[in-house]
Amino acid sequence: MRVTPAAERAVRDGHPWVFENSIREISREGVSGDIAVLFDRKNRFLAVGLFDPESPIRVRILSAGSPAKVGAGLFRTRLAEALKLRRRLVDDPETTGFRILSGEGDRVPGLVLDRYGEGLVLKCYTPAWLPWLDELRSALDELLPSSVLAYLPSRGVSGSPATPDTLRTPVLLSGPPLDDGLEFLEGGLRYRAHPFVGHKTGFYLDQRENRARVRELARGLRVLNVFSYTGGFSLAAAAGGAPGVLSTDLSEPALREAERHFELNAGLEAVRSAAHETRTGDAFEVMEALDTAGERFGMVVVDPPSFAREKGQEAGALRAYGKLTQLALKLIEPGGILVQASCTARIDAESFFLSVLNTARSADRSLEVIAQTGHPVDHPVRHPEGEYLKCLFGRVPTAS
Ligand code: SAH
């Protein structure tokens, strides 16, 4: 296969995708999961990847620069590189939940592998990976033997004609039924992921370092966790010494699971003595109602879902972030802390941070920045489209 000069340069520089409209010449039409070999203008090897005839991302690059045989050996190499990058996490007995393969960031585009304690969860974002599952499993068995392996298809994979019927829905490839989810540790706290009913692979592993920071900062503060999902930040705040935590989310089952996270950690004095409340409802409405009721908090965490999944939604997303900043600031006591995150890839970190800071300034509550964070080590970024996570920790003035 040959591609345009611009695509050739991008691939040489490490970009993991070749778009449909960058392809100039193709020796034959392949099927999903075929190996695509790319040559440059001088007929030299450029890269090898997986072909996906259904997606505008026609080829996902597995190896560029030097020829590589696609199969268990290459997958083993990628896995070994990924484990090396995460050495600190692999060696930490207090943290047994983290992302092992993060798609493009670990040079396995379209593939995610998460570890939750004794279990592994594999999520495929393209049917091009499906013909390679056996080879992938043999690499896993060798480097990461585990008692549970769950498989999840993305929405696109479930709906693809290239996907075999048996792989259209989540399946347990090995291990006992996952009725109670998969338990794991994070900084010594017990958490549970529910791969078959939850978001992502069952938990927001990408917020681990931000949760640790919340835990460090929460001592003595009443904490409001907006868009709490299963209470990841709520438990971290309680463990860090927050005397009271209010978790709020639109999803009732997520809030029940947040309560169970507190029960699971009742062995810890700080968690046992923290008063945890939940409130089901729309974040904007709940925050308005809390303000009207005169409720105030020492820390407000705001970690909403992506606000701009499609092109053209960026301005609306920034407006929504601004509104959330305004609402949160009204609820924060003097000297308190705002923690606001964004997982919208279409909004870059700088625009997001500026939006939060400018909104605070306009509200006469200029923030003193404690930290501006990005991707944790187990969610590496190798191409601009892959950078989605950012979080600002800021302190409001003690007196306005
Ligand atoms: N902060 C969480 C992850 C948040 S995911 C964590 O660290 O685990 C986004 C959450 O927002 C989901 O739980 C979803 O149920 C919730 N949500 C989506 N729209 C909402 C809305 N309008 N109001 C309140 N919650 C909402």
Side-chain angles (χ1 to χ4, degrees):
M1 175 184 292
R2 264 168 253 279
V3 297
T4 59
E8 205 176 296
R9 256 194 315 279
V11 168
R12 200 168 271 130
D13 288 347
H15 201 282
W17 298 335
V18 174
F19 287 96
E20 168 188 18
N21 54 14
S22 310
I23 296 177
R24 279 196 158 167
E25 210 184 296
I26 184 163
S27 54
R28 63 174 178 84
E29 265 312 315
V31 298
S32 181
D34 276 359
I35 296 171
V37 184
L38 278 64
F39 295 94
D40 70 9
R41 273 158 293 174
K42 296 187 178 156
N43 236 359
R44 290 170 306 193
F45 173 87
L46 180 63
V48 63
L50 296 181
F51 189 68
D52 184 351
E54 290 168 43
S55 167
I57 304 174
R58 202 44 61 92
V59 180
R60 289 177 173 80
I61 303 295
L62 288 171
S63 182
S66 50
K69 182 177 182 309
V70 177
L74 180 62
F75 303 152
R76 210 165 39 231
T77 304
R78 291 287 173 268
L79 201 53
E81 290 164 349
L83 291 169
K84 196 168 160 206
L85 181 70
R86 294 154 173 81
R87 178 65 39 82
R88 196 170 47 81
L89 289 166
V90 173
D91 290 344
D92 177 4
E94 298 279 277
T95 298
T96 61
F98 51 91
R99 179 150 292 187
I100 290 176
L101 290 173
S102 189
E104 283 70 1
D106 286 298
R107 298 205 283 164
V108 284
L111 189 76
V112 155
L113 180 73
D114 285 342
R115 174 186 174 198
Y116 293 114
E118 298 306 307
L120 293 176
V121 184
L122 185 68
K123 186 159 181 179
C124 293
Y125 288 86
T126 161
W129 273 104
L130 303 180
W132 298 99
L133 283 189
D134 284 345
E135 304 237 10
L136 197 60
R137 285 184 72 181
S138 99
L140 287 180
D141 285 344
E142 216 174 300
L143 292 184
L144 267 179
S146 60
S147 50
V148 179
L149 178 62
Y151 156 89
L152 303 176
S154 71
R155 213 170 298 152
V157 170
S158 294
S160 162
T163 302
D165 285 346
T166 49
L167 296 175
R168 283 181 195 279
T169 49
V171 268
L172 196 57
L173 298 175
S174 64
L178 293 186
D179 304 338
D180 246 354
L182 289 168
E183 196 177 314
F184 64 98
L185 293 175
E186 186 182 281
L189 297 177
R190 294 168 69 185
Y191 280 104
R192 233 170 15 187
H194 292 271
F196 293 160
V197 291
H199 299 179
K200 293 208 170 207
T201 60
F203 196 75
Y204 285 84
L205 288 173
D206 53 0
Q207 293 286 13
R208 182 186 55 257
E209 292 177 2
N210 291 331
R211 277 189 289 272
R213 199 179 285 269
V214 160
R215 188 173 175 178
E216 275 169 25
L217 293 167
R219 177 165 305 281
L221 305 179
R222 184 183 183 212
V223 175
L224 170 65
N225 182 10
V226 190
F227 303 99
S228 69
Y229 188 48
T230 59
F233 282 111
S234 306
L235 180 65
V245 182
L246 174 55
S247 303
T248 180
D249 198 281
L250 207 50
S251 158
E252 176 89 32
L255 290 172
R256 294 293 77 76
E257 191 57 21
E259 281 168 351
R260 286 164 72 189
H261 272 140
F262 274 74
E263 287 159 21
L264 204 57
N265 290 274
L268 285 177
E269 170 57 29
V271 175
R272 193 166 53 243
S273 58
H276 181 229
E277 295 168 79
T278 61
R279 191 174 297 194
T280 313
D282 170 72
F284 296 84
E285 289 170 16
V286 168
M287 287 167 99
E288 298 267 15
L290 287 169
D291 180 42
T292 307
E295 302 254 17
R296 294 295 176 261
F297 300 84
M299 180 190 281
V300 176
V301 181
V302 184
D303 175 31
S306 175
F307 282 151
R309 295 198 186 275
E310 278 155 41
K311 218 178 164 141
Q313 297 178 332
E314 293 85 352
L318 278 174
R319 274 196 300 279
Y321 286 130
K323 183 74 192 161
L324 288 172
T325 306
Q326 281 171 354
L327 288 168
L329 286 172
K330 285 197 207 171
L331 297 170
I332 302 177
E333 291 160 356
I337 297 170
L338 170 68
V339 181
Q340 193 170 348
S342 160
C343 63
T344 305
R346 292 181 183 280
I347 307 278
D348 64 61
E350 200 181 329
S351 311
F352 174 70
F353 292 143
L354 268 179
S355 140
V356 176
L357 294 174
N358 287 339
T359 306
R361 191 168 317 124
S362 310
D364 241 358
R365 299 202 85 184
S366 286
L367 291 166
E368 175 201 323
V369 174
I370 300 171
Q372 292 177 329
T373 67
H375 279 234
V377 67
D378 56 336
H379 290 66
V381 182
R382 272 178 181 268
H383 69 312
E385 298 91 332
E387 191 164 354
Y388 67 95
L389 190 65
K390 48 264 176 199
C391 184
L392 184 137
F393 292 72
R395 193 181 294 282
V396 307
T398 34
S400 47

